[in-house]
Amino acid sequence: NNTRGSEQKERCKPVKNEIMVEDIDSELFFSEESSMTLNRIERNDPTLIELWIAHDGNPLPSPGPTYGKFWPDRHNLSRFVKAIQENSWLQYLEFANVAEIGASLGRPDERRIFLDGLAKSLIKGLIMTNCDISGEMARKIINELAVKKNVSDTMIDLTGCPLTSGDALDVLASAISKCDHRLGDLCLKDCDVSDHHLVQVIAPALRANMHMHRDLTVLHLPGNSIGVAGCEVLSPLLQDDRCNLRFLSLAGNEIDDACISIFIDAFKRTNKIPLRHLKIENNDAITGLAGFSEIFCDASSVEATYQSNHELFEFGGGDERLDRLVLTPLREDPFGEEDSVVTVDSIELAYTLADFLNQNRDSNKKRVAIMKILQYHPHLDMTEFISAWELKMLPIVINWFGTAEQYTMGYELYHPEYELHKRAKRLHLSAIYQFARAMPLNFVPNKVAKRTFDQISDVAV
C-alpha cells in the first residue's frame, strides 16, 4: 500500500505551478471562445458573417458582433463542419499570421473533413493575411473556394502573403483561372507584386478568362512595385468590353506621370470604361493630373463633350485632398494657409477637377452630359441639324432643351455661379430662332413673319 501510494503521488506531482496554470488558462480561453463561436454558427446567427480560424499564439483581436474565432481540434471539428454546411449567413473565412496553414487544421484526415465542409458551405470569401500560401493546404483551400458552384461574387484577399514565396504565384494564377463567372474581389495588397508578376502571370490569367470574370469589380494592388509595364498591361483590360472593374487601387506603388498618361489615353479611346475609383495616392513620382480635365470634359465640340462622359468619380484615397495630386510641382494646400505658394491656375485646376468628379457621381449620365454641354458651350449652332433634317429635328431639339431646363432648375440652387437654368432657357429660344430664321415660311404667314422674328430675336440673341 505504501508503494502504491508513493507511485500515485509521483504521477500527480506538478512540474511547475506557473506553467501548469498558464496552460490551463490558455486552454480554457481557447475552448470558451471556440464554443461561443460554434454555438453562434449552429444557431444560424445572422450577425456572424466572418470566421477566423485561430491557433495558439495568433494575435487576433477578441470576437465582435460580426465575426468570431474558432480553434479546430479533433473534438469539435465534425460538429463545426456540420454547422457551417447548414449556416446561411457565414460569408468569409480568415487565416492570419500563419506560416503553415495545414498545421493549424490538425491531422491530414481532419484537413479533409474541413475541406469537405468548406465546399458544401455558403462561404464565398477567403482572407489570408500574412500567410504562406505556397503550402499544400493553402493551395487546396484557395482552389476549393475558386471552384465552388453555390456562391457568386467570390472574394480572395491575400494581404501580406508574399507571391515570391515558393509556388505562391502559381497558386494564385490557378485560382484566377478556376473562378468561373464568380470572382468579384481580388486583393493583393503588400504581396511583393512586381511588373514582371503582373505582366507575365496575373494579367494574362485575367485576360485569358475575361469572359468568365464579368463579376470582377474590385482589384486591390496597393503596396507593391507596379510601374509603367504593369499599367500598360492593365490598360487593355480596362478597355475590354467585357470588363466590369469598378475599383482599382494602385496606391503606394511606382506610379509616375508616364503611368497616368497610359490611363488618360485609355479613357480618351473609349467612354465605356466602367472604372469609378482609381486610387493612386502615396505615389510621390506623380506631379500632376491636369490631363484628366480633358477626358472629363473635352470642350472642343459638343460631340466631344458628350463623348467625354465617364464613370470615374474618385482619385486618391477618397478623403485625400485633390491638390496633393493635381498641383504641380507644389505640395502646399491651396485651401489652407495664406502663405502657401500656389498659382491661381493650380487652384482653378483643383476646383475644376473636383467639380467634374462630383458631377460624375450622378448615375444619370444623360443629365451629366447635358450639364457639361450647357456649362462649356454658350452657343449651340443648329445649322447642321437644319440642313440635314429641316423641321423634323425641331421636336427633338425642343424636347432636349425642355429636359435641360428641368435638370438645371435644381442644380442652380447649389451652383448659382453657373446660371445654367437661365442659359438653358436662352439657348432654347435661340435654337427655335435659328430654325425659324432658316425656314420662315414654315413657321408663320409672310405678313407677320418679320414682326415675329423681331420679337424672338430680341429674347434669343
Side-chain angles (χ1 to χ4, degrees):
N1 289 337
N2 292 336
T3 304
R4 187 182 301 131
S6 61
E7 290 176 354
Q8 186 175 2
K9 288 181 181 179
E10 187 66 29
R11 286 199 305 271
C12 296
K13 184 178 179 180
V15 181
K16 277 189 181 180
N17 189 50
E18 310 93 40
I19 298 177
M20 187 174 182
V21 170
E22 181 181 343
D23 290 344
I24 292 174
D25 288 346
S26 177
E27 184 176 346
L28 289 174
F29 176 74
F30 292 162
S31 176
E32 182 181 353
E33 285 200 300
S34 280
S35 178
M36 181 176 64
T37 299
L38 188 52
N39 286 334
R40 291 178 67 187
I41 298 173
E42 290 177 327
R43 293 197 315 267
N44 204 19
D45 184 352
T47 64
L48 182 60
I49 298 175
E50 183 175 337
L51 177 65
W52 288 333
I53 301 299
H55 64 92
D56 294 359
N58 195 332
L60 292 176
S62 300
T66 61
Y67 51 87
K69 285 195 289 187
F70 179 75
W71 279 263
D73 59 44
R74 63 182 182 276
H75 302 296
N76 60 21
L77 190 59
S78 297
R79 179 183 163 193
F80 166 75
V81 168
K82 183 176 184 296
I84 64 172
Q85 290 176 359
E86 298 175 354
N87 187 283
S88 55
W89 297 100
L90 203 57
Q91 297 183 31
Y92 305 105
L93 182 68
E94 179 169 358
F95 296 84
N97 308 304
V98 183
E100 174 52 52
I101 290 178
S104 65
L105 295 174
R107 302 190 305 267
D109 58 326
E110 295 172 343
R111 299 173 195 173
R112 285 193 296 270
I113 295 173
F114 178 86
L115 289 172
D116 183 61
L118 176 62
K120 296 177 181 178
S121 72
L122 294 179
I123 293 175
K124 67 175 185 178
L126 176 64
I127 304 171
M128 291 184 173
T129 306
N130 300 324
C131 297
D132 183 1
I133 65 170
S134 62
E136 180 183 1
M137 191 60 187
R139 176 192 291 269
K140 289 181 178 179
I141 292 174
I142 294 173
N143 285 339
E144 195 63 62
L145 185 73
V147 300
K148 284 170 70 74
K149 301 292 184 182
N150 58 343
V151 296
S152 59
D153 296 331
T154 302
M155 182 194 75
I156 298 178
D157 184 343
L158 303 178
T159 297
C161 300
L163 296 183
T164 54
S165 174
D167 58 350
L169 199 60
D170 295 332
V171 173
L172 175 63
S174 175
I176 292 175
S177 63
K178 290 179 179 179
C179 276
D180 182 14
H181 287 285
R182 287 178 301 277
L183 183 60
D185 187 333
L186 178 61
C187 179
L188 303 176
K189 179 181 179 182
D190 299 324
C191 289
D192 297 333
V193 178
S194 65
D195 278 344
H196 174 76
H197 299 140
L198 193 58
V199 172
Q200 297 296 326
V201 180
I202 300 173
L206 288 171
R207 187 168 56 246
N209 300 283
M210 184 59 72
H211 65 287
M212 300 191 307
H213 293 315
R214 293 181 182 271
D215 294 333
L216 181 62
T217 57
V218 179
L219 182 58
H220 289 267
L221 296 170
N224 293 294
S225 53
I226 298 170
V228 173
C231 293
E232 286 177 343
V233 79
L234 287 173
S235 176
L237 286 178
L238 294 174
Q239 297 176 64
D240 194 306
D241 291 337
R242 300 164 297 179
C243 176
N244 285 316
L245 198 64
R246 298 286 192 270
F247 182 102
L248 174 61
S249 176
L250 293 169
N253 278 272
E254 297 176 1
I255 306 301
D256 56 17
D257 289 341
C259 299
I260 296 301
S261 297
I262 293 171
F263 288 118
I264 290 175
D265 290 340
F267 280 103
K268 285 182 178 179
R269 291 190 188 100
T270 176
N271 64 350
K272 303 298 184 183
I273 294 178
L275 198 63
R276 296 176 181 176
H277 308 264
L278 178 59
K279 294 188 175 290
I280 48 177
E281 71 274 17
N282 300 327
N283 285 285
D284 293 335
I286 298 176
T287 60
L289 295 177
F292 271 103
S293 61
E294 184 177 345
I295 69 164
F296 285 146
C297 184
D298 184 352
S300 60
S301 68
V302 174
E303 176 65 20
T305 303
Y306 178 79
Q307 292 297 335
S308 57
N309 201 11
H310 297 278
E311 297 280 347
L312 186 66
F313 61 75
E314 183 181 338
F315 285 141
D319 56 355
E320 286 263 335
R321 286 290 183 87
L322 265 174
D323 56 280
R324 300 198 179 279
L325 293 173
V326 302
L327 298 184
T328 173
L330 304 172
R331 294 290 176 180
E332 288 83 3
D333 185 355
F335 308 99
E337 293 78 13
E338 295 181 358
D339 58 351
S340 294
V341 184
V342 181
T343 65
V344 174
D345 291 340
S346 297
I347 297 176
E348 290 180 352
L349 175 60
Y351 276 116
T352 299
L353 284 177
D355 188 39
F356 287 146
L357 293 173
N358 286 329
Q359 285 182 339
N360 285 352
R361 290 180 181 274
D362 191 344
S363 59
N364 187 341
K365 295 305 174 184
K366 178 182 178 181
R367 177 163 51 205
V368 175
I370 287 176
M371 294 294 191
K372 290 178 181 178
I373 289 172
L374 292 175
Q375 188 172 345
Y376 290 93
H377 297 278
H379 175 71
L380 298 178
D381 190 357
M382 299 288 120
T383 304
E384 185 177 347
F385 294 141
I386 294 171
S387 60
W389 298 95
E390 297 184 344
L391 284 180
K392 296 176 183 177
M393 195 67 185
L394 183 58
I396 299 175
V397 170
I398 292 175
N399 181 68
W400 190 92
F401 279 107
T403 303
E405 289 180 25
Q406 291 178 5
Y407 288 159
T408 55
M409 191 175 298
Y411 185 81
E412 196 160 301
L413 294 175
Y414 301 99
H415 300 278
E417 67 274 15
Y418 294 126
E419 297 186 339
L420 292 187
H421 185 63
K422 293 179 181 178
R423 180 175 292 183
K425 294 176 71 174
R426 181 177 62 78
L427 290 176
H428 191 171
L429 291 174
S430 175
I432 296 176
Y433 173 69
Q434 291 178 61
F435 274 90
R437 185 175 182 178
M439 294 168 287
L441 296 180
N442 290 324
F443 279 78
V444 291
N446 253 343
K447 47 175 130 181
V448 296
K450 186 178 185 307
R451 185 178 61 193
T452 305
F453 295 155
D454 292 340
Q455 291 175 351
I456 295 176
S457 61
D458 288 342
V459 179
V461 177

